[in-house]
Amino acid sequence: MAALKVGILISGRGSNMTALIDACAAADFPAEIVLVIANRPDAGGLARAAAAGIETGLIDHRDFADRVGFEDALDAALRAAGVELVCLAGFMRLLGARFLERWRDRVLNIHPSLLPAFRGLRAHQQAIDGGVRVSGCTVHIVRPEMDAGPILVQAAVPVAADDTADTLAARVLTAEHRIYPQALRLMAEGRVRVVDDRARIDGAAPPPDVLISPSGI
Ligand code: GAR
């Protein structure tokens, strides 16, 4: 089967983008990254994508009078590259209902919390302020509401008593880099069905372990 053509949207350093690029480099991976677009000229991920030989583009939202114009430009660039699935990877703009209807169930996002907890900005500080013992990350199909939509894969990580937002972010990021390629693979293998706005995954085994945090109590 031909590899699924993927476009990635970024706003920053693009470490999740790099994890997806690295996964797709494996010969048997069922997806390929054909385009990376940033909405900010200073997005460090653009140079990383170009160095990997991937077509890159800059579509700066500030060059457009409104969101519809910006999203039409995104849509046109993605279509021109033959993109079939869009992965948001640290893309810090909300996408509107019109764009998402055109790309229904074909836009993924990664968020650094166990959604639906701690949506929006500063998710790690929200987790620490909430006193939770476990946090994590979520890959989901994107709906117009912020950090909402059918959940594909989540990873849980413990929150240590002395964690700061930065130390927690680093632990969660390692998990992000593992689950985003896994979620992309599920989509590319056609193993995801959306039923009643929840994602059903064909052939998923039950998770083996319970994570208790703090441990050793
Ligand atoms: C990641 O932690 C990602 O989960 C988060 O931004 C970071 C981007 O890092 N995304 C969001 O908060 C979206 N609501 P990266 O550019 O190195 O992938």
Side-chain angles (χ1 to χ4, degrees), residues 16 109-115 117 123-124 134-140 151-157 168-169 171-180:
N16 277 290
N109 181 45
I110 187 156
H111 181 75
S113 74
L114 291 173
L115 290 174
H124 302 298
V134 175
S135 191
C137 47
T138 303
V139 180
H140 65 98
I151 290 171
L152 295 175
V153 183
Q154 293 186 304
V157 305
L168 177 57
R171 194 174 310 118
V172 171
L173 194 64
T174 302
E176 293 184 49
H177 297 163
R178 289 176 62 181
I179 67 167
Y180 213 168

Side-chain angles (χ1 to χ4, degrees), residues 1-5 26-32 84 184-192:
M1 213 166 72
L4 185 75
K5 290 181 168 23
D28 62 345
F29 200 85
E32 62 172 318
E84 299 167 290
L184 175 56
R185 175 186 280 280
L186 289 176
M187 293 294 289
E189 289 176 344
R191 292 171 58 191
V192 177

Side-chain angles (χ1 to χ4, degrees), residues 19-119:
L20 294 175
I21 290 172
D22 290 349
C24 288
D28 62 345
F29 200 85
E32 62 172 318
I33 313 300
V34 297
L35 177 65
V36 172
I37 298 175
N39 70 311
R40 298 174 57 98
D42 58 354
L46 278 181
R48 294 167 82 167
I54 294 166
E55 182 187 340
T56 61
L58 170 65
I59 300 181
D60 191 333
H61 59 279
R62 292 167 301 188
D63 292 339
F64 298 86
D66 55 21
R67 185 160 80 178
V68 167
F70 169 60
E71 292 180 358
D72 281 351
L74 286 179
D75 179 66
L78 293 164
R79 282 174 199 281
V83 168
E84 299 167 290
L85 180 84
V86 178
C87 290
L88 310 184
F91 182 70
M92 300 314 241
R93 307 290 302 173
L94 276 178
L95 292 169
R98 197 173 98 113
F99 180 93
L100 292 174
E101 207 42 60
R102 285 184 186 166
W103 290 88
R104 175 111 188 145
D105 295 343
R106 293 189 297 144
V107 183
L108 307 186
N109 181 45
I110 187 156
H111 181 75
S113 74
L114 291 173
L115 290 174
F118 311 135
R119 292 179 162 136

